[in-house]
Amino acid sequence: MQDAALDIDSDVDWDTTVFGLICPDAIARHLAGPIAKRIADEGFAPLAWKCFWHRPPGIDAYFERNITQVWRAYIYRLADRVFDSGPTIAVLWRDVRPTGSHDSRSSHERLRELKGSSEPAKTKPGTIRGDLGSINVSLGLMHSADSAADSRREAEVFVGRHEFPAGQDPAELPALLSMLEAIRPAELRGFDEVLTGLRARIIGVLWPELPVEARELADKLRACGVAALAAPGAGAQLADHLPPNHPLGPVLRCDFVEGTPGVDIDRAGALLRAYGCDLDKWEDLVLATSMRFTPRRSSLTCVTGAAVG
């Protein structure tokens, strides 16, 4: 058990040390190990790390500017949802490039470029988020601070000035990540798979009360695969066959993407439970965040009745 602790003011060189997070969605998808390896292969070694299982107590102060100037409150609360969905690993990544390297980029620039854009549509091959497939801005697999000052501040907010253990063996970080990933099977569902599952569940629950044409349409969409049942507008086509004001109509109709009519995800879960089914933890997280931040799609084809008829 480690008793000694780093002092982030006196024991860390923030010009060559980057504060980062391996996020709950990376662990759920069993991508934490590959992410750590990609970072190590780029010339960074873990100086210290700490695992936390719930929202950091200082996160309100960290997000204060966004709360008051950029975000609306309900978007900020998505951070709570993410941090409460599973463990997060805070890591101090020390740049161990050989002396005399010709790379003129700072440590923070190098890790930022390796990480890739927070927006899935802007990610590039060769980046972690591009190659491993981040789902949306909130479910972006990892985080790294942009500057030395940001690293120092974020380390204190997320972990604390004297809370990083000193003298950790870098070989133990992959072992910890593997243990955390062993908690549950790897989550393989992206946004389209999650939305397909939700729509199929609603149709399955309502099958006895659906007219024949609705059943036929649902089966044709299912037969065309995930991209068809998850396509923008597919849920609305199916919802049009429900009786007016059906409680599950808005949930089935919702595309769960930014810029389209949304639903209250907690209310949607309560309605599904009333019909004997529910959203699982991953579905809740993916759908709630994707309503506010555009998700990565496997297909953006809009399915119409004619297309599947």
Side-chain angles (χ1 to χ4, degrees), residues 91-146:
V91 186
L92 300 183
W93 296 105
R94 185 166 58 90
D95 193 339
V96 291
R97 279 181 294 181
T99 302
S101 169
H102 296 296
D103 191 340
S104 62
R105 295 173 299 167
S106 71
S107 302
H108 289 80
E109 289 171 338
R110 293 201 311 119
L111 194 48
R112 181 171 65 247
E113 291 178 18
L114 176 64
K115 174 180 59 178
S117 174
S118 61
E119 298 181 39
K122 296 180 180 179
T123 56
K124 298 178 180 179
T127 65
I128 288 173
R129 288 169 169 164
D131 293 348
L132 301 183
S134 58
I135 290 177
N136 58 38
V137 169
S138 284
L139 304 180
L141 298 174
M142 63 165 291
H143 164 77
S144 66
D146 288 336

Side-chain angles (χ1 to χ4, degrees), residues 206 209 242-252 267-268 271-272 274-275:
L206 300 181
E209 58 187 280
L242 298 180
N245 301 316
H246 192 287
L248 289 179
V251 184
L252 181 57
R267 176 171 170 76
L271 286 169
L272 289 166
Y275 281 84

Side-chain angles (χ1 to χ4, degrees), residues 239 277 304:
C277 57
T304 65

Side-chain angles (χ1 to χ4, degrees), residues 40-176:
D41 289 346
E42 188 67 15
F44 290 88
L47 172 66
W49 58 88
K50 191 174 182 68
C51 177
F52 56 92
W53 293 77
H54 300 289
R55 71 188 302 274
I59 198 171
D60 288 339
Y62 175 68
F63 283 129
E64 182 178 6
R65 185 187 69 85
N66 280 337
I67 296 170
T68 58
Q69 299 178 30
V70 182
W71 292 347
R72 287 162 284 181
Y74 61 78
I75 296 179
Y76 158 65
R77 290 302 166 197
L78 292 177
D80 286 354
R81 226 178 190 101
V82 172
F83 285 122
D84 286 340
S85 69
T88 302
I89 306 293
V91 186
L92 300 183
W93 296 105
R94 185 166 58 90
D95 193 339
V96 291
R97 279 181 294 181
T99 302
S101 169
H102 296 296
D103 191 340
S104 62
R105 295 173 299 167
S106 71
S107 302
H108 289 80
E109 289 171 338
R110 293 201 311 119
L111 194 48
R112 181 171 65 247
E113 291 178 18
L114 176 64
K115 174 180 59 178
S117 174
S118 61
E119 298 181 39
K122 296 180 180 179
T123 56
K124 298 178 180 179
T127 65
I128 288 173
R129 288 169 169 164
D131 293 348
L132 301 183
S134 58
I135 290 177
N136 58 38
V137 169
S138 284
L139 304 180
L141 298 174
M142 63 165 291
H143 164 77
S144 66
D146 288 336
S147 67
D150 286 344
S151 277
R152 163 61 182 81
R153 180 171 66 92
E154 292 174 20
E156 183 165 17
V157 166
F158 282 93
V159 179
R161 181 175 173 180
H162 300 101
E163 297 300 321
F164 276 108
Q168 290 174 294
D169 180 354
E172 290 185 1
L173 179 58
L176 171 61

Side-chain angles (χ1 to χ4, degrees), residues 125-309:
T127 65
I128 288 173
R129 288 169 169 164
D131 293 348
L132 301 183
S134 58
I135 290 177
N136 58 38
V137 169
S138 284
L139 304 180
L141 298 174
M142 63 165 291
H143 164 77
S144 66
D146 288 336
S147 67
D150 286 344
S151 277
R152 163 61 182 81
R153 180 171 66 92
E154 292 174 20
E156 183 165 17
V157 166
F158 282 93
V159 179
R161 181 175 173 180
H162 300 101
E163 297 300 321
F164 276 108
Q168 290 174 294
D169 180 354
E172 290 185 1
L173 179 58
L176 171 61
L177 296 177
S178 295
M179 188 61 65
L180 294 175
E181 290 179 340
I183 292 172
R184 59 182 182 182
E187 181 53 71
L188 303 178
R189 292 173 294 174
F191 173 81
D192 284 348
E193 289 79 12
V194 165
L195 184 54
T196 290
L198 171 62
R199 288 175 174 170
R201 188 175 306 136
I202 294 173
I203 293 300
V205 165
L206 300 181
W207 193 266
E209 58 187 280
L210 292 176
V212 172
E213 57 269 26
R215 297 179 189 177
E216 291 177 347
L217 173 60
D219 192 50
K220 288 177 181 178
L221 289 169
R222 178 205 56 77
C224 289
V226 168
L229 197 51
Q237 291 183 67
L238 295 165
D240 286 343
H241 292 281
L242 298 180
N245 301 316
H246 192 287
L248 289 179
V251 184
L252 181 57
R253 186 177 299 277
C254 186
D255 283 327
F256 292 93
V257 293
E258 184 183 17
T260 63
V263 296
D264 183 296
I265 198 70
D266 293 317
R267 176 171 170 76
L271 286 169
L272 289 166
R273 286 192 293 276
Y275 281 84
C277 57
D278 201 354
L279 294 171
D280 65 38
K281 196 171 187 178
W282 182 251
E283 292 170 327
D284 175 281
L285 186 62
V286 169
L287 295 175
T289 55
S290 293
M291 279 192 288
R292 309 306 176 198
F293 300 108
T294 303
R296 185 184 301 273
R297 304 298 303 266
S298 59
S299 172
L300 291 177
T301 303
C302 184
V303 178
T304 65
V308 298

